[in-house]
Amino acid sequence: MAPLDADRSPAVLAGATSRSGSGPEEGAQPRILVVEDEPGYVEALALGLRVEGFEVLGAGTLADARAALAQFTCDLVLLDVMLPDGSGLDLCRELRATTRTPVIVVSARSQEVDVVVGLELGAADYVTKPYRLRELVARIRSVLRRPGATDASRVAVGDLDIDLEGRSVRRDGVPVVLSRREFDLLALLAEHRGQVITRERCLDALWWGVDLADTRTLDTHVKRLRAKLEDDPAQPQHLITVRGVGFRLDG
């Protein structure tokens, strides 16, 4: 495998090929995108990760990272916060809203508020610099083992069949028509099935950059989803409200 060239834009390994679907193909090395603007750091980290059995791509800016993600299927993103063209947390937010690719934030910012913000925006983990390579590798493998991190694009929840890539839903084999934001909300919950997703995270994912005068708009979408997906919307079995926190998809 050719060495990573941290000066290219985006910095992509020679010979890397695109993959369809999500997760590594059988026998393939998990592919990690390292988003970091210090070439020396990327080179050292890439070398260590390759020794541990990972394929590594590199990007020095948010623009490079978006280009790499558009061209290649990555199994995990290691993301710095402070980048030349913006905050890595913006990319973290984008990925959580549009993909199931897990993100581990790797940053010199170690204050509790920084860690909390990163996790609230959807990071699967937050690692502060400096760190030990073995610890980082252990965290990467732990995230990749989590349910949903490398699953196929279809999610089965009770009588629901959710095709995340095809943006379609069937209930007992019958197509269910959803609006764009109804599907986006369902997909967000399906990607984290069994986990509570906070109201704030739902609002950020669906209405990022929109100044909502009434956050009950989210409750309206939940009500509409239940009407379409539940036998008894008043006693939901799939789309559960966790009072004072957010929502969870069960089944």
Side-chain angles (χ1 to χ4, degrees), residues 184-206:
D184 289 344
L185 176 58
L186 180 62
L188 175 63
L189 297 171
E191 289 164 2
H192 304 277
R193 181 177 48 183
Q195 302 176 31
V196 179
I197 305 300
T198 64
R199 291 181 60 88
E200 292 76 15
R201 185 169 172 186
C202 291
L203 290 167
D204 280 346
L206 272 67

Side-chain angles (χ1 to χ4, degrees), residues 48-49 52 54 132-142:
L49 290 176
E52 294 292 335
F54 298 99
R132 294 181 176 86
L133 179 62
R134 286 185 179 180
E135 177 189 357
L136 179 61
V137 169
R139 288 174 181 260
I140 289 171
R141 288 178 173 152
S142 176

Side-chain angles (χ1 to χ4, degrees), residues 22 77 90-91 105 123 146-147 152 166 189 197 214 222 236 240-241 243 251:
S22 59
V77 176
D90 290 334
L91 180 61
V105 173
R146 292 178 188 176
L189 297 171
I197 305 300
D214 188 352
V222 170
I240 309 299
T241 297
R243 191 171 300 277

Side-chain angles (χ1 to χ4, degrees), residues 164-229:
L164 296 172
E165 291 186 357
R167 295 183 63 85
S168 65
V169 179
R170 289 179 176 270
R171 183 181 175 198
D172 282 334
V174 179
V176 179
V177 178
L178 301 179
S179 71
R180 178 175 65 85
R181 282 205 168 104
E182 286 171 355
F183 184 88
D184 289 344
L185 176 58
L186 180 62
L188 175 63
L189 297 171
E191 289 164 2
H192 304 277
R193 181 177 48 183
Q195 302 176 31
V196 179
I197 305 300
T198 64
R199 291 181 60 88
E200 292 76 15
R201 185 169 172 186
C202 291
L203 290 167
D204 280 346
L206 272 67
W207 288 281
W208 172 246
V210 178
D211 184 15
L212 287 179
D214 188 352
T215 59
R216 286 177 297 181
T217 299
L218 175 60
D219 299 300
T220 299
H221 280 72
V222 170
K223 183 178 179 179
R224 290 173 179 169
L225 270 178
R226 285 183 176 142
K228 296 177 180 181
L229 303 180

Side-chain angles (χ1 to χ4, degrees), residues 41-102:
Y41 174 86
V42 177
E43 285 285 352
L45 179 57
L47 178 61
L49 290 176
R50 287 188 203 125
V51 170
E52 294 292 335
F54 298 99
E55 179 182 347
V56 183
L57 311 180
T61 66
L62 292 177
D64 290 352
R66 292 182 179 111
L69 289 165
Q71 183 177 1
F72 297 97
T73 298
C74 296
D75 303 304
L76 184 141
V77 176
L78 292 179
L79 180 63
D80 191 15
V81 173
M82 295 177 286
L83 295 164
D85 55 344
S87 171
L89 295 179
D90 290 334
L91 180 61
C92 181
R93 184 186 294 109
E94 290 174 20
L95 290 174
R96 293 280 51 78
T98 60
T99 77
R100 291 171 298 131
T101 305

Side-chain angles (χ1 to χ4, degrees), residues 88-132:
L89 295 179
D90 290 334
L91 180 61
C92 181
R93 184 186 294 109
E94 290 174 20
L95 290 174
R96 293 280 51 78
T98 60
T99 77
R100 291 171 298 131
T101 305
V103 175
I104 296 180
V105 173
V106 182
S107 174
R109 294 184 175 180
S110 58
Q111 296 295 317
E112 181 180 11
V113 64
D114 296 313
V115 177
V116 170
V117 168
L119 295 175
E120 281 291 328
L121 289 178
D125 203 346
Y126 193 109
V127 178
T128 57
K129 300 175 183 177
Y131 57 83
R132 294 181 176 86

